[in-house]
Amino acid sequence: YKFSVEEELFQYELQETGKVSGCGGYGTLFPFVYGILIGFPASFLHIPGGEFLVEAAGAWILLGQINLYYRVNELCTESEEMKSELGLAEGPLVEWWAVLSPPLDVVVGLRQVHFLSEYWRVKRGDSKQDDVIAETLFPFISLPEKFTLKQFFRRPKHWFWFTKEWSDFEFEFLKDE
């Protein structure tokens, strides 16, 4: 999936503007894969630089993910018409959530998949269809607002289908400042 999304956006940007803001599928995944494939054995065999390669590969893929989220936000807010079609006031993703540990990084990842697919739907001129996964089972995915970690944890009604009737948690440490 990562390869496909990066390559699709790369080709789209190249075609539309002649400028790219990502490395494409190959440029995103090959440095990561090679860094892991070379770095792990080198690290295991105590060859100098092995650990550095693994760490650099991890940094590369995380930076690429942050950039992907930034690019999706840019696409989703490229015009007032697009924002209106998607029901957005601003870009829906918090880019730095890419560096959070699982499962929190999955929250923004699922939202990226949803909003990028919605962007392409609007670009193609397709009508909106119900998305049971993103709208009913896991409503946080399609929530049109950009939310903070505190807001996410405070509002369980947006988590899952079985928490939609739950009230907000009113803990002091979860309140917005």
Side-chain angles (χ1 to χ4, degrees):
Y1 174 79
K2 176 77 171 153
F3 175 87
S4 298
V5 167
E6 291 287 355
E7 191 63 24
E8 181 179 41
L9 286 178
F10 181 84
Q11 295 300 327
Y12 176 73
E13 289 174 337
L14 197 57
Q15 179 183 3
E16 291 293 310
T17 66
K19 297 178 182 177
V20 294
S21 59
C23 300
Y26 296 101
T28 300
L29 287 182
F30 279 179
F32 172 72
V33 170
Y34 285 128
I36 297 298
L37 288 177
I38 296 168
F40 268 138
S43 178
F44 182 73
L45 297 171
H46 304 290
I47 297 172
E51 289 178 12
F52 173 77
L53 281 175
V54 171
E55 291 171 4
W60 177 258
I61 205 72
L62 284 176
L63 290 172
Q65 201 64 14
I66 291 168
N67 186 44
L68 173 62
Y69 297 159
Y70 175 81
R71 291 157 64 206
V72 170
N73 277 341
E74 290 288 307
L75 290 171
C76 289
T77 58
E78 69 185 9
S79 68
E80 290 302 317
E81 181 182 346
M82 180 60 72
K83 286 170 40 177
S84 176
E85 284 283 338
L86 297 175
L88 301 173
E90 62 181 328
L93 308 176
V94 180
E95 296 92 344
W96 66 265
W97 282 28
V99 300
L100 295 174
S101 65
L104 293 175
D105 64 335
V106 175
V107 170
V108 70
L110 291 171
R111 288 173 56 78
Q112 174 265 309
V113 170
H114 172 76
F115 284 103
L116 186 57
S117 67
E118 284 296 294
Y119 171 81
W120 291 126
R121 176 192 59 79
V122 171
K123 285 300 248 188
R124 287 189 309 267
D126 295 344
S127 60
K128 179 151 178 52
Q129 300 195 6
D130 290 338
D131 183 341
V132 174
I133 302 293
E135 295 168 359
T136 305
L137 298 178
F138 306 99
F140 70 86
I141 295 173
S142 61
L143 198 62
E145 67 186 73
K146 183 184 282 189
F147 47 80
T148 65
L149 281 172
K150 285 182 177 184
Q151 290 167 335
F152 178 70
F153 285 118
R154 187 175 63 239
R155 302 182 304 184
K157 64 183 165 216
H158 298 301
W159 297 348
F160 308 107
W161 71 98
F162 59 87
T163 62
K164 70 180 181 177
E165 302 298 325
W166 293 14
S167 299
D168 288 356
F169 297 133
E170 296 299 331
F171 299 115
E172 192 65 36
F173 68 93
L174 290 178
K175 292 185 179 177
D176 291 324
E177 328 238 327

